[in-house]
Amino acid sequence: MEFIWAIVIGALYAAGLYMIMRRSIVKIILGLALLGYAANLLIFIVSNLTRGNPPLVPPGATAPIAPYADPLPQALILTAIVIGFGVQAFTIVLFRRAYRSFGADDIDELRTTER
Amino acid sequence: MDILIVLPVLIPFATSIVMLLCWSRRDIHRFLNVVGAVLLLIASLVLLNSVAHNGVHATQLGNWPAPFGISFVADLFSAIMVVIAGLTAVVGAVYSLGSMDQARERFGYYPLLHTMFMGICGAFLTGDIFNLYVWFEVLLISSFVLMALGGERAQLEGSIKYVTLNLLSSALFLSAVGILYGAVGTLNMADLAQQLSLLDQPGIVLTLAMLFLVAFGIKAAIFPLFAWLPASYHTPPIAVSAIFAGLLTKVGVYSLIRVFSLLFVQNITLTHGLILILAGLTMVTGVLGAVAQNEFRRVLAFHSISQIGYMIMGLGLFTQLALAGAIFYIMHHTVVKMNLFLVSGIVHRLRGSYELKDLGDVYKTHPWLAILFLISAFSLAGFPPLFGFWAKLMLVQAGLQAEHYVIAATALLVGLLTAFSMAKIWAEAFWKKAPTPAQPNTRNLGFMVAPVVGLTLITIAVGLVTQPFYDLMVDAANQLADPSAYIAAVQSASLALR
């Protein structure tokens, strides 16, 4: 199972990087989103997924009953998803504003700041 | 909980919240902006004083013991960085009063500034690598909006490049954190430092080190990852440019130094050797780029890249003197580069342009401003007895002691080219006869001049009274070179909770 996921995650990274290298601004947004998904899935898979008991300490004990599922990767991913959502919303608004201002969807035309 | 460590995060947070509550009151924003920045500087100085006298501070947020809870750690390096942030906040806050236009002030410039400082201070103080990612995002999203606020065409273009490359870096950072957790099973930096030295998988550790190098390298703008910086740093209003150039890239440098002194010290010849090569290339490409520019702010922006090279050089040499020099250089560069950007803003007010070909005559009409520029420019190039001379001296001496003669020679040569590019600005903007007469706009100019005078005085004062600063930097470098005090502080903060 992890083997398949590894290929899926690799494909997501590749697709994301490919999209970022396109000239169209819209595709850059999509590429950034794909990279975010790839990173989230990577955290999920790489941190040794286990099927097990909930990570709760039963009354009277000092540690949860092994084998228990590690809750931390999910906490990390949730945080990353929320951050990614906010950042993507901002990116879309910024790029839309830029499109209205330049009337161009081509990153190669945005060169006035580099002359 | 140790309130001292948390205050540099809480003060900007509270400042921006209060500002958001009275959104439409521009006068209150302007007032709170200065109050919040001064409080931040005071809190950071108190923290530095306490760390210098009582050793490394650590606290566990929410009273959860490490490695489960999030640690906040202030060693000397962190505390010095927070003081730099506080100083930048005060300077930026006062300068903004004079230079920011009303439209930007109405659309939340000041609250954004303070949320950015919250993110920066959080990044300097956290002892948890995922929490570092979160603080990075806090400061990034604020900086995105600060860069785009106003919506001028150049700003939007710059923002697109800035946002895209920084988000790419964040994605790499996040992936690296995920793999790190998978390999080691902890995210607390003190715990990671111990676990990584026990981990017998050099391949994974090296992969992780390179991922972090690229992720932080983009944010610090090292060679060859700096493309976003000269495309964007000169586009926002000058107060924003100054704060970004002075402080924001330093967060990347801070993270590089932290990660490569605490976590990835297993294979120093390879990793730090690579960093040293990158440092040399960063210095040279940055300064050559600066020499080729014809716009005041772009010269300065390109220049920041070359100066980042010096800081990374200290990390690459990885001796105690070199690390001390790197920290000293970070301090120096923040003060001086900010000052030069602020001077360019005043020149723009007086002459109405940033293009070097349209400028001139400033020495004739405003000799005091020319002197202020010259002091910072000389310090940047490393003329004795100014601040920059000592910082450069420490780095070059460390290079010679470690017998890395090529990098030491590069550092000296780049200093010469720095002097050349500063001379270009001097000749074009201050010395030559102006092509057109200008209508100076002197409204609120006092708010803009006062921070420049203050920073210039710091440049001279640190140059003349270097010994106490030198001792502080050496102590900070010793803590970096031997992280046992850092680890012990986190452990004892956790033990107190059990």
Side-chain angles (χ1 to χ4, degrees):
Chain A
M1 194 59 187
E2 283 181 0
F3 177 73
I4 299 171
W5 277 115
I7 291 173
V8 170
I9 293 166
L12 274 175
Y13 272 108
L17 287 173
Y18 174 71
M19 290 295 239
I20 285 183
M21 285 182 266
R22 301 291 294 273
R23 278 161 52 183
S24 156
I25 301 182
V26 178
K27 287 179 182 138
I28 292 176
I29 299 180
L30 293 176
L32 288 172
L34 286 178
L35 275 184
Y37 301 147
N40 288 341
L41 273 177
L42 178 74
I43 298 176
F44 198 55
I45 302 304
V46 86
S47 50
N48 301 328
L49 275 184
T50 38
R51 245 173 219 282
N53 298 314
L56 298 173
V57 182
T62 53
I65 307 161
Y68 58 89
D70 186 356
L72 199 83
Q74 296 166 40
L76 301 187
I77 295 166
L78 264 180
T79 316
I81 288 176
V82 172
I83 292 174
F85 174 75
V87 171
Q88 267 168 37
F90 172 77
T91 322
I92 292 170
V93 173
L94 172 72
F95 284 31
R96 189 184 124 82
R97 177 73 205 274
Y99 177 71
R100 277 175 46 180
S101 163
F102 317 143
D105 179 38
D106 186 348
I107 201 82
D108 275 3
E109 288 180 27
L110 310 184
R111 281 199 183 152
T112 52
T113 63
E114 299 195 43
R115 278 196 201 116
Chain B
M1 276 249 298
D2 189 344
I3 193 74
L4 263 187
I5 306 187
V6 199
L7 268 184
V9 177
L10 288 184
I11 290 172
F13 182 57
T15 312
S16 57
I17 291 285
V18 176
M19 283 182 188
L20 290 177
L21 288 177
C22 42
W23 175 257
S24 53
R25 294 289 304 275
R26 202 169 63 90
D27 49 338
I28 296 183
H29 278 202
R30 286 168 67 93
F31 174 69
L32 281 178
N33 160 49
V34 177
V35 173
V38 171
L39 285 178
L40 176 61
L41 180 61
I42 293 172
S44 65
L45 286 172
V46 172
L47 176 65
L48 177 63
N49 182 42
S50 176
V51 173
H53 287 104
N54 309 329
V56 182
H57 284 232
T59 193
Q60 292 297 122
L61 296 186
N63 284 347
W64 292 92
F68 306 107
I70 289 169
S71 308
F72 257 46
V73 192
D75 62 351
L76 271 177
F77 182 36
S78 294
I80 290 169
M81 294 305 292
V82 173
V83 170
I84 294 174
L87 180 69
T88 314
V90 172
V91 169
V94 175
Y95 194 87
S96 300
L97 292 182
S99 67
M100 201 46 61
D101 52 288
Q102 287 199 16
R104 286 190 174 89
E105 288 186 335
R106 284 216 183 80
F107 279 95
Y109 169 74
Y110 293 119
L112 281 166
L113 201 59
H114 286 269
T115 45
M116 190 176 78
F117 280 115
M118 171 177 77
I120 291 171
C121 290
F124 288 153
L125 289 171
T126 186
D128 182 286
I129 196 116
F130 187 77
N131 198 234
L132 179 65
Y133 167 77
V134 175
W135 289 121
F136 258 110
E137 294 301 309
V138 171
L139 73 92
L140 275 183
I141 193 84
S142 318
S143 72
F144 291 166
V145 186
L146 278 176
M147 180 157 279
L149 191 68
E152 293 164 17
R153 177 171 174 139
Q155 278 187 295
L156 292 174
E157 278 191 27
S159 300
I160 286 179
K161 291 159 194 170
Y162 177 69
V163 168
T164 309
L165 280 166
N166 273 293
L167 289 182
L168 179 65
S169 138
S170 293
L172 287 173
F173 184 11
L174 186 61
S175 313
V177 169
I179 299 173
L180 188 63
Y181 182 72
V184 190
T186 179
L187 293 169
N188 189 290
M189 289 204 259
D191 200 23
L192 274 171
Q194 291 175 307
Q195 306 281 344
L196 274 173
S197 60
L198 302 174
L199 191 70
D200 189 27
Q201 287 174 310
I204 289 189
V205 174
L206 190 62
T207 311
L208 283 169
M210 291 303 110
L211 272 174
F212 278 109
L213 179 63
V214 174
F216 294 142
I218 294 178
K219 295 197 201 283
I222 65 175
F223 179 87
L225 308 165
F226 59 69
W228 57 273
L229 192 148
S232 61
Y233 263 26
H234 62 289
T235 57
I238 202 71
V240 179
S241 295
I243 295 170
F244 280 20
L247 195 57
L248 220 50
T249 40
K250 307 294 185 306
V251 186
V253 177
Y254 164 84
S255 311
L256 274 176
I257 295 182
R258 176 64 78 205
V259 165
F260 280 92
S261 67
L262 190 59
L263 306 186
F264 301 112
V265 286
Q266 295 82 7
N267 191 352
I268 287 182
T269 28
L270 184 59
T271 50
H272 291 65
L274 178 64
I275 290 175
L276 201 58
I277 295 171
L278 291 176
L281 291 169
T282 310
M283 282 187 228
V284 174
T285 44
V287 84
L288 290 181
V291 169
Q293 298 304 315
N294 290 307
E295 208 250 35
F296 205 145
R297 295 170 301 175
R298 278 180 64 82
V299 178
L300 297 177
F302 250 110
H303 226 282
S304 312
I305 298 169
S306 112
Q307 306 296 312
I308 296 289
Y310 283 95
M311 301 161 206
I312 303 294
M313 168 185 163
L315 175 62
L317 290 169
F318 208 59
T319 62
Q320 287 175 5
L321 183 64
L323 285 172
I327 304 172
F328 206 37
Y329 211 95
I330 294 176
M331 262 182 85
H332 159 250
H333 184 250
T334 304
V335 169
V336 170
K337 184 44 66 73
M338 244 188 118
N339 207 10
L340 289 172
F341 264 104
L342 298 183
V343 168
S344 83
I346 299 178
V347 171
H348 178 255
R349 271 294 194 80
L350 299 174
R351 308 286 325 174
S353 175
Y354 288 110
E355 294 291 336
L356 288 180
K357 66 174 163 39
D358 301 333
L359 294 174
D361 271 347
V362 177
Y363 179 73
K364 203 162 86 186
T365 54
H366 301 83
W368 51 270
L369 186 61
I371 303 286
L372 290 174
F373 169 81
L374 215 54
I375 291 172
S376 288
F378 277 174
S379 180
L380 193 68
F383 284 34
L386 296 164
F387 198 160
F389 168 70
W390 302 106
K392 233 167 229 175
L393 181 70
M394 283 164 85
L395 284 170
V396 171
Q397 200 180 350
L400 293 177
Q401 276 178 10
E403 301 186 349
H404 286 287
Y405 298 114
V406 178
I407 195 82
T410 313
L412 290 173
L413 178 75
V414 170
L416 203 64
L417 287 170
T418 305
F420 173 67
S421 64
M422 288 298 126
K424 180 174 174 178
I425 296 183
W426 170 259
E428 291 281 328
F430 292 89
W431 198 248
K432 81 166 190 240
K433 202 165 160 41
T436 48
Q439 281 87 38
N441 172 5
T442 52
R443 201 176 142 269
N444 281 341
L445 202 63
F447 282 129
M448 295 166 74
V449 175
V452 174
V453 174
L455 287 177
T456 310
L457 288 179
I458 292 176
T459 313
I460 300 172
V462 178
L464 295 179
V465 194
T466 319
Q467 193 61 40
F469 293 93
Y470 175 80
D471 293 341
L472 190 67
M473 299 305 140
V474 170
D475 287 348
N478 285 338
Q479 283 183 1
L480 283 178
D482 175 22
S484 57
Y486 186 99
I487 297 168
V490 175
Q491 282 171 341
S492 70
S494 303
L495 278 179
L497 299 170
R498 288 221 169 110

